[in-house]
Amino acid sequence: MQKVRIQQNFNRASKTYDRVSTIQKICAQQLVILLQQHFPDFYPTSILDIGTGTGHIPAALFNIFPTSQYLLNDLSEGMLSMAHIKLGNQPNISLLPGDMEHVQFGHQELIISNFALQWAAQLTRILHQLYERSNLLVFSCLLEGTFTEWTALFTHYALPLPTYAYPTEQALTTYLLSLQARHCYIKTQDFMLTFDSLLHFIKYLQQLGANTGQHFLTPSQLKTLLKHSTHSFTTTYKVYFALVGDP
Ligand SMILES: C[S@@+](CC[C@H](N)C(=O)[O-])C[C@H]1O[C@@H](n2cnc3c(N)ncnc32)[C@H](O)[C@@H]1O
């Protein structure tokens, strides 16, 4: 059921996502910069982007690897068709619609993913599969503590917590180190975003498609939150970046 809701929310948000996904785009570009800095001589012939969304990652990679074969995966057909429109009808781009935890694909020289793996039901399982099926796995992922100011409001009003259960930095690092890869580079970074009001933040989450919490907000719960939050609202993204493998 959770996956169906994730898919519906991202389908609904596919036309507004590019307008609001500033942090996501910055992090996609940052992943590509990290890849170039750490592996300047690596030119992957095959690239799989997991949860490609509207294609921020392939748009950034295309400039440096124009002749690679790209495979773009996403659960949301709406997102994939926006990526297809953005990137144009390139012969070296193929689409792989479906759930990242179930789609079939062959070995790739580079598997990359930006802001998508936190949606997996079994994160370490999918990380293991992606690591095993690539020479290099490069990803960013949201960490526990993301939107902590939003969560704090719910705690304050004794409402059921709205945010998705993000992994901890420690759990992810312990897992990646256990793979004993030849190269393992990890970095975390916080990004702050300020909105005119809490209502603007709630609308932002909807336009992003990231409004899939563990509980629905009832109209009366929403009213309680909005009544007490008329001023500006600042929230934090906690982002984990990792490059693992032996390209
Ligand atoms: C926050 S967006 C990030 C999109 C893109 N990577 C970017 O850099 O902007 C997360 C994407 O992951 C996709 N997604 C969520 N769960 C997924 C799953 N189980 N399998 C494949 N894609 C999934 C969503 O449809 C959405 O497009």
Side-chain angles (χ1 to χ4, degrees):
M1 278 316 287
Q2 186 70 2
K3 293 250 169 135
V4 173
R5 284 183 55 205
I6 292 171
Q7 186 180 37
Q8 285 170 346
N9 286 341
F10 279 109
N11 272 335
R12 241 177 260 131
S14 57
K15 294 210 169 64
T16 47
Y17 183 84
D18 271 358
R19 218 186 308 142
V20 289
S21 57
T22 322
I23 302 269
Q24 289 71 7
K25 191 172 180 180
I26 290 171
C27 291
Q29 289 165 345
Q30 202 149 308
L31 265 188
V32 174
I33 290 168
L34 287 172
L35 171 64
Q36 283 183 292
Q37 280 172 347
H38 286 269
F39 304 102
D41 300 326
F42 178 48
Y43 193 116
T45 56
S46 51
I47 301 174
L48 167 62
D49 182 18
I50 295 286
T52 195
T54 58
H56 286 326
I57 284 283
L61 283 179
F62 221 70
N63 298 323
I64 44 172
F65 305 129
T67 59
S68 304
Q69 285 299 323
Y70 288 81
L71 190 54
L72 309 182
N73 157 258
D74 207 284
L75 183 63
S76 152
E77 301 89 31
M79 285 290 197
L80 271 185
S81 66
M82 293 309 286
H84 196 240
I85 293 167
K86 184 192 283 178
L87 300 164
N89 218 358
Q90 308 284 351
N92 55 338
I93 296 182
S94 313
L95 304 181
L96 180 66
D99 183 348
M100 61 171 100
E101 293 180 276
H102 297 292
V103 284
Q104 303 290 316
F105 55 87
H107 187 90
Q108 306 285 318
E109 289 191 7
L110 171 66
I111 296 185
I112 190 161
S113 182
N114 184 48
F115 273 53
L117 290 174
Q118 70 275 348
W119 298 109
Q122 292 179 281
L123 180 56
T124 48
R125 191 162 177 266
I126 180 95
L127 281 173
H128 185 73
Q129 285 172 356
L130 300 178
Y131 171 72
E132 287 285 309
R133 292 182 200 172
S134 62
N135 294 14
L136 183 66
L137 171 62
V138 172
F139 71 93
S140 73
C141 176
L142 291 177
L143 286 176
E144 186 183 73
T146 293
F147 302 149
T148 184
E149 303 81 358
W150 173 230
T151 315
L153 278 177
F154 284 72
T155 309
H156 181 77
Y157 293 113
L159 299 172
L161 292 186
T163 47
Y164 204 69
Y166 298 119
T168 65
E169 178 181 350
Q170 195 193 354
L172 264 178
T173 301
T174 304
Y175 179 71
L176 292 185
L177 292 178
S178 78
L179 294 171
Q180 299 193 316
R182 179 137 184 254
H183 300 279
C184 183
Y185 174 81
I186 292 163
K187 153 186 164 154
T188 61
Q189 193 172 340
D190 287 2
F191 297 86
M192 309 296 287
L193 268 188
T194 299
F195 298 86
D196 289 345
S197 68
L198 193 64
L199 187 58
H200 281 87
F201 173 67
I202 294 171
K203 285 192 177 149
Y204 162 83
L205 285 183
Q206 283 167 350
Q207 291 172 335
L208 210 53
N211 47 326
T212 309
Q214 287 150 323
H215 303 278
F216 284 109
L217 260 184
T218 65
S220 81
Q221 289 171 342
L222 186 62
K223 217 168 143 191
T224 308
L225 286 176
L226 294 180
K227 202 165 53 183
H228 293 268
S229 318
T230 47
H231 42 78
S232 71
F233 178 72
T234 298
T235 196
T236 313
Y237 272 95
K238 282 194 159 313
V239 187
Y240 191 87
F241 297 90
L243 296 87
V244 203
D246 186 11

